[in-house]
Amino acid sequence: MVVVVWRALADFPTYRRLFCAQVVALAGTGLATVALALLAYDLASDRAGQVVATALTIKMLAYVGAGPLLTAALARAPRKAVLVGSDAVRALAVACLPLVDQVWQVYVLIAVLQCASAAFTPTFQAVIPELVDDRGYTGALALSRLAYDLEALASPLLAALVLLVLPFDGLFALTALGFAASALLVATTALPVASDGARSPRRAAASWLVFATDRRLRALMALNLAVAAVTALVLVDTVVLVRSHLGGNDTGVALALASFGAGSMAVALALGALVDRFGTRALMLGGPFVVTAGAAALALGWTLAPGPAVLGAGWVVLGAGCALVSAPTGRLLREAAPEGGLAGVFAAQFSLSHACFLLTYPLAGWAGGLDPVLVLGCTGVLTGACALAAVGLWRPDQVAVGRTAPVDDDH
């Protein structure tokens, strides 16, 4: 897998520059996630989970509501302008967050920030296949997953170091710099011009129909719900678990979030070998079962001896289970996309997967005041049900719509 990843970076210089832009932007986003949780605790104390849940629900509303509209409205706009403009808006919104002193101000800035992200992410994802060949795409997917895991792992670790010398407001400044650096890298990169067909709003909208006709993608929706349940639990309730239940500090919150990212990154690093050994279908269907087992083990450990080590170990397992679903998703979307509809399929997955958070973020915010063992148990039940639904939908002999031969679900 290392060879494949290295080839994606070495042989495709344009992709290499965009990957660097993605890394710095996501690293800043990870810092902002930690800072948002700490800002919420500063503004609302024990109600911090509710504030974070509301802010992240607004984020999802922006993704689900603004994502499709922005994809259609910007379908014929130069993609470089979309990417650079989105980064500029995100940098300005984040730079204003340290100035707030009311919770509602946080909500407004989060809405602006995430509307810009809803324009940036599908456009960025759709550009990648045009910059690499078929073999390089495997490495590009692995690198893209590693970049997202950087947000979950390296950013909280960096945040923990920054918090040793600066107040959490400094994290917002570093985030703004990350978005500015991303905009500069994209602005100085030559991007391919999409064909009119690929950029047609009508074709982009038609790509959404694939999710209703392809049973694999319907199974993906159940898997997305399992990932959303776990991610909401981690992002919303970690600050409450560490600060209120365990008596920890800001650095402890960052390290706990980093543990979740460590499990995810371990899977991303081994993605190529795992796909070769087990196949895409087995990995993605196995993810929620891993999460269910991890949640049950964490609930037992919390009952017997609650502490930072127990929480960190549990978060590692949950991160690995989520990555088993998320890391290979790009391969599945590329295989299922109709001709010229790749951007639309990525946009649909972006919005539909984030729609799951409209349910899970409010639930996680409400659950922050409950017994952690009960919350973990309910999360395990939900992810187990999602796993069974996905298995029933995505069968080994699945035949994709419009194809006469069985789909190679293993590769």
Side-chain angles (χ1 to χ4, degrees):
M1 186 61 187
V2 174
V3 174
V4 176
V5 169
W6 173 254
R7 181 176 182 272
L9 288 176
D11 294 354
F12 305 102
T14 301
Y15 169 73
R16 183 168 63 243
R17 290 182 66 85
L18 285 187
F19 174 70
C20 291
Q22 183 185 27
V23 166
V24 295
L26 286 174
T29 301
L31 294 178
T33 300
V34 177
L36 176 62
L38 300 178
L39 175 62
Y41 199 86
D42 186 55
L43 293 174
S45 189
D46 289 343
R47 294 190 301 108
Q50 298 175 21
V51 174
V52 174
T54 302
L56 294 178
T57 300
I58 291 172
K59 170 182 176 178
M60 294 304 111
L61 286 171
Y63 281 179
V64 176
L69 296 176
L70 290 170
T71 299
L74 299 174
R76 295 186 179 278
R79 291 188 291 190
K80 181 181 290 188
V82 172
L83 295 174
V84 173
S86 298
D87 271 337
V89 171
R90 294 195 291 183
L92 289 173
V94 170
C96 292
L97 277 170
L99 306 178
V100 306
D101 56 8
Q102 299 291 328
V103 171
W104 68 266
Q105 296 169 346
V106 175
Y107 297 156
V108 171
L109 290 173
I110 290 297
V112 173
L113 171 66
Q114 302 308 333
C115 282
S117 292
F120 181 94
T121 303
T123 303
F124 181 89
Q125 290 175 333
V127 167
I128 293 176
E130 301 178 25
L131 303 178
V132 297
D133 59 21
D134 288 341
R135 292 183 61 192
Y137 189 62
T138 299
L141 284 176
L143 284 168
S144 182
R145 185 64 220 172
L146 285 173
Y148 281 102
D149 290 329
L150 178 68
E151 176 187 350
L153 174 61
S155 293
L157 290 176
L158 177 59
L161 294 175
V162 172
L163 290 170
L164 295 176
V165 295
L166 293 175
F168 67 81
D169 288 357
L171 299 178
F172 289 123
L174 292 176
T175 300
L177 289 176
F179 287 137
S182 173
L184 180 61
L185 284 167
V186 174
T188 56
T189 301
L191 299 182
V193 178
S195 65
D196 290 341
R199 298 166 64 182
S200 167
R202 180 179 300 177
R203 177 164 291 180
S207 299
W208 284 59
L209 295 177
V210 178
F211 282 81
T213 57
D214 192 314
R215 290 174 63 87
R216 297 167 300 165
L217 297 187
R218 293 209 296 270
L220 177 60
M221 293 300 95
L223 298 174
N224 286 336
L225 180 58
V227 171
V230 175
T231 303
L233 171 68
V234 172
L235 294 184
V236 172
D237 292 332
T238 294
V239 65
V240 177
L241 291 172
V242 174
R243 295 292 301 270
S244 296
H245 288 274
L246 300 179
N249 55 22
D250 292 351
T251 301
V253 174
L255 291 175
L257 292 172
S259 297
F260 182 76
S264 183
M265 182 169 284
V267 170
L269 288 171
L271 179 61
L274 291 173
V275 169
D276 291 341
R277 176 66 179 85
F278 300 103
T280 300
R281 175 180 175 274
L283 288 182
M284 296 184 70
L285 293 180
F289 287 108
V290 171
V291 165
T292 299
L298 179 54
L300 178 61
W302 193 275
T303 300
L304 298 176
V310 171
L311 180 63
W315 266 202
V316 168
V317 175
L318 297 188
C322 288
L324 288 173
V325 175
S326 301
T329 294
R331 298 172 63 93
L332 177 61
L333 294 177
R334 190 187 188 204
E335 183 181 84
E339 183 178 357
L342 185 61
V345 170
F346 272 108
Q349 163 64 6
F350 182 80
S351 292
L352 292 173
S353 62
H354 286 81
C356 297
F357 288 99
L358 294 177
L359 170 65
T360 60
Y361 276 143
L363 284 177
W366 170 76
L370 301 178
D371 181 359
V373 175
L374 175 62
V375 175
L376 290 167
C378 291
T379 301
V381 170
L382 176 58
T383 55
C386 292
L388 294 176
V391 169
L393 286 168
W394 189 353
R395 300 186 180 279
D397 58 350
Q398 169 80 41
V399 177
V401 173
R403 300 192 184 190
T404 58
V407 173
D408 180 4
D409 284 327
D410 288 337
H411 301 289

